[in-house]
Amino acid sequence: MPTDPMPDWVLQQRRAIGDHIRAERTRQKVTQERLAESAGLDRKTVNRIEQGTHATLIDHLALIARALGVPLAELVR
């Protein structure tokens, strides 16, 4: 069972994943809105993932990776 609050290293990892997603999205010149639409997600969800403010589902990360055309592993490295 997860601890509350999450350990700092988890929050840092969450932010790092968000940074990788944002970097790839901006490299491709894609807006959050366009990425959300391509991934079948809400723009707020994409924003929260990029900001690292909320935990996300692996399913959402897989949808984002596919929408960006990159391996999931590239986003979570």
Side-chain angles (χ1 to χ4, degrees):
M1 178 167 259
T3 60
D4 189 23
M6 284 292 181
D8 285 342
W9 68 268
V10 173
L11 302 176
Q12 290 170 355
Q13 185 66 46
R14 190 187 292 170
R15 285 189 288 271
I17 291 168
D19 290 345
H20 291 142
I21 292 169
R22 183 181 312 103
E24 182 60 28
R25 179 180 60 74
T26 56
R27 186 188 73 74
Q28 293 186 26
K29 297 182 173 107
V30 175
T31 64
Q32 282 185 347
E33 193 167 305
R34 173 74 103 163
L35 175 57
E37 184 179 296
S38 297
L41 299 170
D42 184 73
R43 187 202 58 81
K44 288 181 182 181
T45 299
V46 171
N47 181 266
R48 288 177 184 134
I49 293 169
E50 286 188 2
Q51 295 298 316
T53 58
H54 292 77
T56 190
L57 299 172
I58 189 75
D59 298 352
H60 291 172
L61 296 177
L63 289 167
I64 289 170
R66 175 167 280 196
L68 290 171
V70 298
L72 177 58
E74 186 173 316
L75 301 179
V76 298
R77 61 183 156 83

Coordinates of all heavy atoms in Angstrom, one line a residue:
M1 N 0.8 -1.2 0.0 CA 0.0 0.0 0.0 C 0.9 1.2 0.0 O 1.8 1.3 0.8 CB -0.9 0.0 1.2 CG -1.8 1.2 1.4 SD -3.1 0.9 2.6 CE -4.4 0.6 1.5
P2 N 0.6 2.2 -0.9 CA 1.5 3.4 -1.0 C 1.4 4.2 0.3 O 0.4 4.3 1.0 CB 0.9 4.2 -2.1 CG -0.2 3.4 -2.7 CD -0.4 2.2 -1.9
T3 N 2.5 4.9 0.6 CA 2.5 5.8 1.7 C 1.9 7.1 1.4 O 1.8 7.5 0.2 CB 4.0 6.0 2.2 OG1 4.7 6.6 1.1 CG2 4.6 4.7 2.7
D4 N 1.5 7.8 2.4 CA 0.9 9.1 2.2 C 1.6 10.1 3.1 O 1.5 10.0 4.3 CB -0.6 9.1 2.5 CG -1.3 10.3 2.0 OD1 -0.8 11.0 1.1 OD2 -2.4 10.6 2.6
P5 N 2.3 11.1 2.6 CA 2.5 11.5 1.2 C 3.6 10.6 0.6 O 4.3 9.9 1.3 CB 3.0 12.9 1.3 CG 3.7 13.0 2.6 CD 3.0 12.1 3.5
M6 N 3.6 10.6 -0.7 CA 4.6 9.8 -1.5 C 6.0 10.3 -1.2 O 6.2 11.5 -0.9 CB 4.4 10.0 -3.0 CG 3.2 9.3 -3.5 SD 3.5 7.5 -3.4 CE 2.0 6.9 -4.1
P7 N 7.0 9.4 -1.2 CA 8.4 9.8 -1.0 C 8.8 10.8 -2.1 O 8.3 10.7 -3.2 CB 9.1 8.5 -1.1 CG 8.1 7.4 -1.0 CD 6.8 7.9 -1.4
D8 N 9.8 11.6 -1.7 CA 10.3 12.6 -2.7 C 10.8 12.0 -4.0 O 10.6 12.6 -5.1 CB 11.4 13.4 -2.1 CG 10.9 14.4 -1.1 OD1 9.7 14.7 -1.1 OD2 11.7 14.9 -0.3
W9 N 11.4 10.8 -3.9 CA 11.9 10.2 -5.2 C 10.8 9.9 -6.1 O 11.0 9.9 -7.3 CB 12.9 9.0 -4.9 CG 12.2 7.8 -4.3 CD1 12.0 7.5 -3.0 CD2 11.6 6.8 -5.1 NE1 11.3 6.3 -2.9 CE2 11.0 5.9 -4.1 CE3 11.4 6.5 -6.4 CZ2 10.4 4.7 -4.5 CZ3 10.7 5.4 -6.8 CH2 10.2 4.5 -5.9
V10 N 9.7 9.5 -5.6 CA 8.5 9.2 -6.5 C 8.1 10.5 -7.2 O 7.8 10.5 -8.4 CB 7.4 8.5 -5.7 CG1 6.1 8.4 -6.6 CG2 7.8 7.2 -5.2
L11 N 7.9 11.5 -6.4 CA 7.5 12.8 -7.0 C 8.5 13.3 -8.1 O 8.1 13.9 -9.1 CB 7.3 13.8 -5.9 CG 6.3 13.4 -4.8 CD1 6.2 14.5 -3.8 CD2 4.9 13.2 -5.5
Q12 N 9.8 13.1 -7.8 CA 10.8 13.5 -8.7 C 10.8 12.7 -10.0 O 10.9 13.3 -11.1 CB 12.2 13.4 -8.1 CG 12.5 14.4 -7.0 CD 13.8 14.1 -6.2 OE1 14.4 13.1 -6.4 NE2 14.1 15.0 -5.3
Q13 N 10.5 11.4 -9.9 CA 10.4 10.6 -11.1 C 9.1 11.0 -11.9 O 9.2 11.0 -13.1 CB 10.3 9.1 -10.7 CG 10.2 8.2 -11.8 CD 11.6 8.2 -12.6 OE1 12.6 8.1 -12.0 NE2 11.5 8.2 -13.9
R14 N 8.1 11.3 -11.2 CA 6.8 11.7 -11.8 C 7.1 13.0 -12.7 O 6.6 13.1 -13.8 CB 5.8 12.0 -10.8 CG 4.4 12.2 -11.3 CD 3.4 12.6 -10.2 NE 3.2 11.5 -9.3 CZ 2.5 11.7 -8.1 NH1 2.1 12.9 -7.8 NH2 2.3 10.7 -7.3
R15 N 7.8 14.0 -12.1 CA 8.1 15.2 -12.8 C 9.1 14.9 -13.9 O 8.9 15.6 -15.0 CB 8.7 16.2 -11.8 CG 7.7 16.9 -10.9 CD 8.3 18.0 -10.1 NE 9.2 17.6 -9.0 CZ 8.8 17.2 -7.8 NH1 7.5 17.3 -7.4 NH2 9.6 16.9 -6.9
A16 N 10.0 14.0 -13.8 CA 10.9 13.7 -14.9 C 10.2 13.1 -16.1 O 10.5 13.5 -17.2 CB 12.0 12.7 -14.4
I17 N 9.2 12.2 -15.8 CA 8.4 11.7 -16.9 C 7.7 12.8 -17.6 O 7.6 12.9 -18.8 CB 7.5 10.6 -16.4 CG1 8.3 9.4 -15.9 CG2 6.4 10.2 -17.4 CD1 7.5 8.4 -15.1
G18 N 7.1 13.7 -16.8 CA 6.4 14.8 -17.4 C 7.3 15.7 -18.2 O 6.9 16.2 -19.3
D19 N 8.5 15.9 -17.8 CA 9.5 16.7 -18.5 C 9.8 16.0 -19.9 O 9.9 16.7 -20.9 CB 10.8 16.9 -17.7 CG 10.6 17.8 -16.6 OD1 9.6 18.5 -16.5 OD2 11.5 17.8 -15.7
H20 N 9.9 14.7 -19.9 CA 10.2 13.9 -21.1 C 9.1 14.1 -22.1 O 9.3 14.2 -23.3 CB 10.5 12.5 -20.8 CG 11.8 12.2 -20.1 ND1 11.9 11.3 -19.1 CD2 13.0 12.8 -20.2 CE1 13.2 11.3 -18.6 NE2 13.8 12.2 -19.3
I21 N 7.9 14.0 -21.6 CA 6.7 14.1 -22.5 C 6.6 15.5 -23.0 O 6.5 15.7 -24.2 CB 5.4 13.8 -21.7 CG1 5.4 12.3 -21.3 CG2 4.2 14.2 -22.5 CD1 4.3 11.9 -20.4
R22 N 6.8 16.5 -22.2 CA 6.8 17.9 -22.7 C 7.9 18.2 -23.7 O 7.6 18.8 -24.7 CB 6.9 18.9 -21.5 CG 6.8 20.3 -21.9 CD 7.0 21.3 -20.8 NE 6.2 21.0 -19.6 CZ 6.7 20.4 -18.5 NH1 7.9 20.1 -18.4 NH2 5.9 20.2 -17.5
A23 N 9.1 17.7 -23.4 CA 10.2 17.9 -24.4 C 9.9 17.3 -25.7 O 10.1 17.9 -26.8 CB 11.5 17.3 -23.8
E24 N 9.4 16.0 -25.7 CA 9.0 15.4 -27.0 C 7.9 16.1 -27.7 O 7.9 16.3 -28.9 CB 8.7 13.9 -26.8 CG 8.4 13.2 -28.1 CD 9.6 13.1 -29.1 OE1 10.8 13.2 -28.6 OE2 9.3 13.0 -30.3
R25 N 6.9 16.5 -27.0 CA 5.7 17.2 -27.6 C 6.2 18.5 -28.2 O 5.8 18.8 -29.3 CB 4.7 17.4 -26.5 CG 3.5 18.2 -27.0 CD 2.5 18.4 -25.9 NE 2.9 19.2 -24.8 CZ 3.1 20.5 -24.8 NH1 2.9 21.2 -25.9 NH2 3.6 21.1 -23.7
T26 N 7.0 19.3 -27.5 CA 7.4 20.6 -28.0 C 8.4 20.4 -29.2 O 8.4 21.2 -30.1 CB 8.0 21.5 -26.9 OG1 9.1 20.8 -26.3 CG2 7.0 21.9 -25.9
R27 N 9.2 19.3 -29.1 CA 10.1 19.0 -30.2 C 9.4 18.8 -31.5 O 9.7 19.2 -32.6 CB 11.0 17.8 -29.9 CG 12.1 17.5 -30.9 CD 12.8 16.2 -30.7 NE 11.9 15.1 -31.0 CZ 11.6 14.7 -32.3 NH1 12.1 15.3 -33.3 NH2 10.9 13.6 -32.5
Q28 N 8.2 18.1 -31.3 CA 7.3 17.8 -32.5 C 6.4 19.0 -32.8 O 5.6 18.9 -33.7 CB 6.5 16.6 -32.2 CG 7.4 15.3 -32.2 CD 6.5 14.1 -32.0 OE1 5.3 14.0 -32.4 NE2 7.1 13.0 -31.4
K29 N 6.5 20.1 -32.0 CA 5.6 21.3 -32.2 C 4.1 20.9 -32.1 O 3.3 21.3 -33.0 CB 6.0 22.0 -33.5 CG 7.4 22.5 -33.5 CD 7.7 23.2 -34.8 CE 9.0 23.9 -34.7 NZ 10.0 23.3 -35.5
V30 N 3.8 20.1 -31.1 CA 2.4 19.7 -30.9 C 1.9 20.4 -29.6 O 2.7 20.4 -28.6 CB 2.4 18.1 -30.7 CG1 1.0 17.7 -30.3 CG2 2.9 17.4 -31.9
T31 N 0.7 20.9 -29.6 CA 0.1 21.5 -28.5 C -0.4 20.4 -27.5 O -0.6 19.3 -27.9 CB -1.0 22.4 -28.8 OG1 -2.1 21.6 -29.4 CG2 -0.6 23.5 -29.8
Q32 N -0.6 20.8 -26.3 CA -1.2 19.9 -25.3 C -2.6 19.4 -25.8 O -2.9 18.3 -25.7 CB -1.3 20.5 -23.9 CG -0.1 20.6 -23.2 CD -0.3 21.1 -21.8 OE1 -1.3 21.6 -21.4 NE2 0.7 20.9 -20.9
E33 N -3.3 20.4 -26.4 CA -4.6 20.1 -26.8 C -4.6 19.0 -28.0 O -5.4 18.1 -28.0 CB -5.3 21.4 -27.3 CG -6.8 21.2 -27.5 CD -7.5 22.5 -27.7 OE1 -7.4 23.4 -26.8 OE2 -8.2 22.7 -28.8
R34 N -3.7 19.2 -28.9 CA -3.6 18.3 -30.0 C -3.1 16.9 -29.6 O -3.6 15.9 -30.0 CB -2.6 18.8 -31.0 CG -2.3 17.9 -32.2 CD -3.4 17.8 -33.1 NE -3.1 18.6 -34.2 CZ -3.7 18.5 -35.4 NH1 -4.7 17.7 -35.5 NH2 -3.3 19.2 -36.4
L35 N -2.2 16.9 -28.6 CA -1.7 15.6 -28.1 C -2.8 14.9 -27.3 O -3.0 13.7 -27.5 CB -0.5 15.8 -27.1 CG 0.0 14.6 -26.4 CD1 0.4 13.5 -27.3 CD2 1.1 14.9 -25.4
A36 N -3.6 15.6 -26.6 CA -4.7 15.1 -25.8 C -5.7 14.5 -26.8 O -6.2 13.3 -26.6 CB -5.4 16.1 -24.9
E37 N -6.0 15.2 -27.8 CA -7.0 14.7 -28.8 C -6.4 13.4 -29.5 O -7.2 12.5 -29.7 CB -7.2 15.8 -29.9 CG -8.2 15.5 -31.0 CD -8.3 16.6 -31.9 OE1 -8.8 17.7 -31.5 OE2 -8.0 16.4 -33.1
S38 N -5.2 13.4 -29.9 CA -4.6 12.2 -30.5 C -4.5 11.0 -29.6 O -4.7 9.9 -30.1 CB -3.2 12.6 -31.0 OG -3.2 13.6 -32.0
A39 N -4.4 11.3 -28.3 CA -4.3 10.2 -27.4 C -5.6 9.8 -26.8 O -5.7 8.8 -26.1 CB -3.3 10.6 -26.2
G40 N -6.7 10.6 -27.1 CA -8.0 10.2 -26.5 C -8.1 10.6 -25.1 O -8.8 10.0 -24.3
L41 N -7.4 11.7 -24.7 CA -7.4 12.1 -23.3 C -7.9 13.6 -23.2 O -7.9 14.2 -24.3 CB -6.0 12.0 -22.7 CG -5.3 10.7 -22.6 CD1 -3.9 10.8 -22.3 CD2 -6.1 9.8 -21.7
D42 N -8.1 14.0 -22.0 CA -8.5 15.4 -21.8 C -7.2 16.2 -21.7 O -6.2 15.8 -21.2 CB -9.3 15.5 -20.5 CG -9.8 16.9 -20.2 OD1 -10.7 17.3 -20.9 OD2 -9.2 17.5 -19.3
R43 N -7.3 17.5 -22.2 CA -6.1 18.4 -22.2 C -5.6 18.5 -20.7 O -4.4 18.6 -20.5 CB -6.4 19.7 -22.8 CG -5.1 20.6 -22.9 CD -5.3 22.0 -23.0 NE -6.1 22.6 -21.9 CZ -5.6 22.9 -20.7 NH1 -4.3 22.7 -20.5 NH2 -6.3 23.4 -19.8
K44 N -6.5 18.6 -19.8 CA -6.1 18.8 -18.4 C -5.3 17.6 -17.9 O -4.4 17.7 -17.1 CB -7.4 19.0 -17.5 CG -8.0 20.3 -17.7 CD -9.2 20.5 -16.8 CE -9.9 21.8 -17.0 NZ -11.1 22.0 -16.1
T45 N -5.7 16.4 -18.4 CA -5.0 15.2 -18.0 C -3.5 15.3 -18.5 O -2.6 15.0 -17.8 CB -5.7 14.0 -18.6 OG1 -7.0 13.9 -18.0 CG2 -4.9 12.7 -18.2
V46 N -3.4 15.7 -19.8 CA -2.0 15.8 -20.3 C -1.2 16.9 -19.5 O -0.1 16.7 -19.2 CB -2.1 16.2 -21.8 CG1 -0.7 16.6 -22.3 CG2 -2.7 15.1 -22.6
N47 N -1.9 18.0 -19.2 CA -1.2 19.0 -18.4 C -0.8 18.5 -17.0 O 0.4 18.8 -16.6 CB -2.1 20.2 -18.2 CG -1.5 21.3 -17.5 OD1 -1.6 21.4 -16.3 ND2 -0.7 22.2 -18.2
R48 N -1.6 17.8 -16.4 CA -1.3 17.3 -15.0 C -0.1 16.3 -15.1 O 0.7 16.2 -14.2 CB -2.5 16.6 -14.4 CG -3.5 17.6 -14.0 CD -4.8 16.9 -13.4 NE -5.8 17.9 -13.1 CZ -7.1 17.8 -13.4 NH1 -7.5 16.7 -14.0 NH2 -7.9 18.7 -13.1
I49 N -0.1 15.5 -16.2 CA 1.0 14.5 -16.3 C 2.3 15.3 -16.6 O 3.3 14.9 -16.0 CB 0.7 13.5 -17.5 CG1 -0.5 12.6 -17.1 CG2 1.9 12.7 -17.8 CD1 -1.1 11.8 -18.3
E50 N 2.3 16.2 -17.5 CA 3.5 17.0 -17.7 C 4.0 17.8 -16.5 O 5.2 17.9 -16.3 CB 3.2 18.0 -18.9 CG 3.2 17.3 -20.2 CD 3.1 18.3 -21.4 OE1 3.2 19.6 -21.1 OE2 3.1 17.9 -22.5
Q51 N 3.0 18.3 -15.7 CA 3.4 19.0 -14.5 C 3.9 18.1 -13.4 O 4.5 18.5 -12.4 CB 2.3 19.9 -14.0 CG 1.9 21.0 -15.0 CD 3.0 22.0 -15.2 OE1 3.6 22.4 -14.3 NE2 3.2 22.3 -16.5
G52 N 3.5 16.8 -13.5 CA 3.8 15.8 -12.4 C 3.0 16.1 -11.1 O 3.5 15.6 -10.1
T53 N 1.9 16.7 -11.2 CA 1.1 17.1 -10.0 C 0.2 15.9 -9.6 O -0.2 15.9 -8.4 CB 0.3 18.3 -10.3 OG1 -0.6 18.1 -11.4 CG2 1.1 19.5 -10.5
H54 N -0.1 15.0 -10.5 CA -1.0 13.9 -10.1 C -0.4 12.6 -10.6 O 0.3 12.6 -11.7 CB -2.4 14.1 -10.8 CG -3.1 15.2 -10.3 ND1 -2.9 16.5 -10.6 CD2 -4.2 15.2 -9.4 CE1 -3.7 17.3 -10.0 NE2 -4.5 16.6 -9.3
A55 N -0.7 11.5 -9.9 CA -0.3 10.2 -10.4 C -1.1 9.9 -11.7 O -2.2 10.4 -11.9 CB -0.6 9.1 -9.3
T56 N -0.5 9.1 -12.5 CA -1.2 8.8 -13.8 C -1.2 7.3 -14.0 O -0.5 6.5 -13.3 CB -0.5 9.5 -15.0 OG1 -1.3 9.3 -16.1 CG2 0.9 8.9 -15.3
L57 N -2.0 6.9 -14.9 CA -2.1 5.5 -15.2 C -1.1 5.1 -16.3 O -0.8 5.9 -17.2 CB -3.5 5.1 -15.8 CG -4.7 5.4 -14.8 CD1 -6.0 5.2 -15.6 CD2 -4.6 4.4 -13.6
I58 N -0.5 3.9 -16.2 CA 0.4 3.4 -17.3 C -0.4 3.5 -18.6 O 0.2 3.7 -19.7 CB 0.9 2.0 -16.9 CG1 2.0 1.7 -17.9 CG2 -0.2 1.0 -16.9 CD1 3.3 2.4 -17.7
D59 N -1.7 3.2 -18.6 CA -2.5 3.3 -19.8 C -2.4 4.6 -20.5 O -2.2 4.8 -21.7 CB -3.9 2.9 -19.6 CG -4.1 1.5 -19.0 OD1 -3.1 0.8 -18.9 OD2 -5.2 1.2 -18.6
H60 N -2.5 5.7 -19.7 CA -2.4 7.1 -20.2 C -1.0 7.3 -20.8 O -0.9 7.9 -21.9 CB -2.7 8.1 -19.2 CG -4.1 8.1 -18.7 ND1 -4.5 8.9 -17.7 CD2 -5.2 7.5 -19.2 CE1 -5.8 8.7 -17.5 NE2 -6.2 7.8 -18.4
L61 N 0.0 6.8 -20.2 CA 1.4 7.0 -20.7 C 1.6 6.2 -22.0 O 2.2 6.7 -23.0 CB 2.4 6.5 -19.7 CG 2.5 7.3 -18.4 CD1 3.5 6.7 -17.4 CD2 2.8 8.8 -18.6
A62 N 1.0 5.1 -22.1 CA 1.0 4.3 -23.3 C 0.3 5.0 -24.5 O 0.8 5.0 -25.6 CB 0.4 2.9 -23.1
L63 N -0.9 5.6 -24.2 CA -1.6 6.4 -25.2 C -0.8 7.6 -25.7 O -0.8 7.9 -26.9 CB -3.0 6.8 -24.6 CG -4.0 5.7 -24.4 CD1 -5.2 6.2 -23.5 CD2 -4.5 5.2 -25.7
I64 N -0.2 8.2 -24.7 CA 0.6 9.4 -25.1 C 1.8 9.0 -25.9 O 2.1 9.7 -27.0 CB 1.1 10.2 -23.8 CG1 -0.1 10.9 -23.2 CG2 2.2 11.2 -24.1 CD1 0.1 11.5 -21.8
A65 N 2.5 7.9 -25.6 CA 3.6 7.5 -26.3 C 3.2 7.1 -27.8 O 3.9 7.5 -28.7 CB 4.3 6.2 -25.7
R66 N 2.1 6.4 -27.9 CA 1.7 6.1 -29.3 C 1.3 7.3 -30.0 O 1.6 7.5 -31.2 CB 0.5 5.2 -29.2 CG -0.1 4.9 -30.6 CD -1.0 3.8 -30.6 NE -0.2 2.5 -30.7 CZ -0.7 1.4 -31.0 NH1 -2.0 1.3 -31.3 NH2 0.0 0.3 -31.0
A67 N 0.6 8.3 -29.4 CA 0.2 9.5 -30.1 C 1.5 10.3 -30.5 O 1.4 11.0 -31.6 CB -0.6 10.4 -29.2
L68 N 2.6 10.3 -29.8 CA 3.8 11.0 -30.1 C 4.7 10.1 -31.1 O 5.6 10.6 -31.6 CB 4.6 11.3 -28.9 CG 4.0 12.4 -28.0 CD1 4.8 12.5 -26.7 CD2 4.0 13.7 -28.7
G69 N 4.3 8.8 -31.2 CA 5.1 8.0 -32.1 C 6.5 7.6 -31.5 O 7.4 7.5 -32.3
V70 N 6.5 7.5 -30.2 CA 7.8 7.1 -29.6 C 7.5 5.9 -28.7 O 6.4 5.7 -28.2 CB 8.4 8.3 -28.7 CG1 8.7 9.4 -29.6 CG2 7.5 8.7 -27.6
P71 N 8.6 5.1 -28.4 CA 8.4 4.0 -27.5 C 8.1 4.5 -26.0 O 8.6 5.6 -25.6 CB 9.8 3.3 -27.5 CG 10.5 3.8 -28.6 CD 9.9 5.2 -29.0
L72 N 7.3 3.8 -25.3 CA 6.9 4.2 -24.0 C 8.2 4.3 -23.1 O 8.3 5.3 -22.3 CB 6.0 3.2 -23.3 CG 5.6 3.4 -21.9 CD1 5.0 4.7 -21.7 CD2 4.7 2.3 -21.4
A73 N 9.2 3.5 -23.3 CA 10.4 3.5 -22.6 C 11.1 4.8 -22.7 O 11.8 5.3 -21.8 CB 11.3 2.4 -23.0
E74 N 11.0 5.5 -23.9 CA 11.6 6.8 -24.1 C 11.1 7.8 -23.1 O 11.8 8.8 -22.7 CB 11.5 7.2 -25.5 CG 12.3 8.5 -25.8 CD 12.2 8.8 -27.3 OE1 12.4 7.9 -28.2 OE2 12.0 10.0 -27.6
L75 N 9.8 7.7 -22.8 CA 9.2 8.7 -22.0 C 9.4 8.5 -20.5 O 9.3 9.4 -19.7 CB 7.6 8.8 -22.2 CG 7.2 9.1 -23.6 CD1 5.7 9.1 -23.7 CD2 7.8 10.4 -24.1
V76 N 9.7 7.3 -20.1 CA 9.9 7.0 -18.7 C 11.4 6.7 -18.3 O 11.6 6.2 -17.3 CB 9.0 5.8 -18.2 CG1 7.5 6.2 -18.4 CG2 9.3 4.5 -19.0
R77 N 12.3 7.0 -19.2 CA 13.7 6.7 -19.0 C 14.2 7.5 -17.8 O 13.7 8.5 -17.4 CB 14.5 7.0 -20.2 CG 14.5 8.4 -20.7 CD 15.2 8.5 -22.0 NE 14.7 9.6 -22.8 CZ 15.1 10.9 -22.6 NH1 15.9 11.2 -21.7 NH2 14.6 11.8 -23.4

